[in-house]
Amino acid sequence: MKIQYDLHLHSCLSPCGSDDMTPCNMVNMAALLGFDMIAITDHNSCLNAQAAIAAGKQAGVTVVPGMELCTAEEAHVVCLFPTLEDALQFQVYVDGKSYLVENRPDIFGRQLIMGEGDVLLGEESRLLLNATKVTAQEASCAVRLFHGAAFPAHIDRDSFSLLASLGSIPPEAEFRAAEITASGDVEKLLQMYPELRDMILLLDSDAHYLENMQDPGPWLDLPENTAACLIDALNGTIKATWGRT
């Protein structure tokens, strides 16, 4: 089945995200736009995933729990998991390899932790924007240990991307997918980095505000609309076709 997806969305837990980007708001906006599947990928945290998954069940949208990890190279890697339990176990791993720097809401923004129904549970005091001690290769391996899949984010950007940080995508990381921005020149990237030809090339919004959530266009052809099936596809366990309309 053809799945309309957006696998890179930030909730109000991300300090650079809008306070209006609550789990219910972002999921319901995804439903209104016509998405079948989205992923919640806050910076270095999965704490709003449970509320988003619950909202997804109400709205009829599959919500994949995840995070956008900032690696030791200061590159962003999207990490997705088949279950909330797997995501929260990975959260413990990341917390143990993070620098404890206090957030300054007046500078970086608030980091709101939400419960089901968008009940405010509190604020994350640790700044979530910092690089962790986890390298890109370690991230890819660790995500698989927790039954998930990872892919480098917005590889065509000149900051916070693996290509900007390292000049290439390390083959030892064994990424099976990569993300390109909407303005990225796919053919140029394929010419410069032939290894991308063997990868699923994803297009996500990386939205931090409701108004930045894009209309559906990119799709994945998967056997079923589930997080587990997506993870299998991103890890190359099952074959998946992809495209953009």
Side-chain angles (χ1 to χ4, degrees):
M1 59 170 33
K2 187 175 287 188
I3 306 296
Q4 303 280 353
Y5 70 85
D6 191 339
L7 303 179
H8 190 167
L9 291 167
H10 293 266
S11 80
C12 53
L13 177 59
S14 292
C16 45
S18 167
D19 288 359
D20 292 331
M21 201 73 158
T22 64
C24 285
N25 282 350
M26 63 188 293
V27 167
N28 286 320
M29 177 62 78
L32 286 172
L33 291 171
F35 284 99
D36 305 300
M37 174 187 289
I38 64 171
I40 179 168
T41 55
D42 287 306
H43 291 290
N44 294 340
S45 181
C46 300
L47 291 182
N48 275 357
Q50 182 173 0
I53 291 170
K57 290 178 180 177
Q58 292 290 326
V61 177
T62 296
V63 177
V64 183
M67 73 166 62
E68 183 178 29
L69 178 72
C70 189
T71 70
E73 303 94 343
E74 293 196 339
H76 288 175
V77 173
V78 172
C79 308
L80 303 179
F81 301 90
T83 69
L84 177 64
E85 292 72 23
D86 290 323
L88 294 178
Q89 288 180 18
F90 183 72
Q91 174 83 70
V92 174
Y93 167 80
V94 171
D95 287 348
K97 293 182 176 292
S98 297
Y99 297 97
L100 299 179
V101 178
E102 288 292 310
N103 183 34
R104 286 282 305 275
D106 56 321
I107 297 175
F108 301 108
R110 301 173 71 190
Q111 300 179 150
L112 305 180
I113 303 171
M114 311 297 290
E116 294 185 21
D118 282 353
V119 175
L120 178 62
L121 300 180
E123 298 192 31
E124 173 62 74
S125 61
R126 173 174 58 88
L127 180 61
L128 297 174
L129 287 176
N130 286 344
T132 63
K133 303 173 187 177
V134 185
T135 67
Q137 181 181 351
E138 290 169 341
S140 179
C141 294
V143 168
R144 287 195 293 270
L145 286 176
F146 292 100
H147 313 117
F151 57 84
H154 39 67
I155 59 171
D156 52 306
R157 287 186 184 168
D158 56 9
S159 61
F160 297 112
S161 74
L162 273 183
L163 294 184
S165 298
L166 301 180
S168 64
I169 297 176
E172 58 272 17
E174 298 183 343
F175 291 116
R176 306 285 186 178
E179 179 188 80
I180 298 173
T181 66
S183 59
D185 188 331
V186 176
E187 289 304 317
K188 182 178 179 180
L189 284 167
L190 291 175
Q191 291 175 7
M192 294 178 64
Y193 306 98
E195 65 270 22
L196 294 176
R197 296 184 182 277
D198 297 324
M199 295 186 182
I200 295 173
L201 299 182
L202 301 165
L203 175 61
D204 303 304
S205 70
D206 190 13
H208 291 67
Y209 295 81
L210 291 171
E211 58 266 30
N212 295 145
M213 292 180 66
Q214 301 170 357
D215 290 330
W219 53 266
L220 285 166
D221 194 352
L222 302 175
E224 57 186 21
N225 183 16
T226 64
C229 191
L230 171 70
I231 300 305
D232 285 342
L234 296 180
N235 280 332
T237 306
I238 62 172
K239 186 177 181 180
T241 55
W242 56 274
R244 303 173 184 182
T245 55

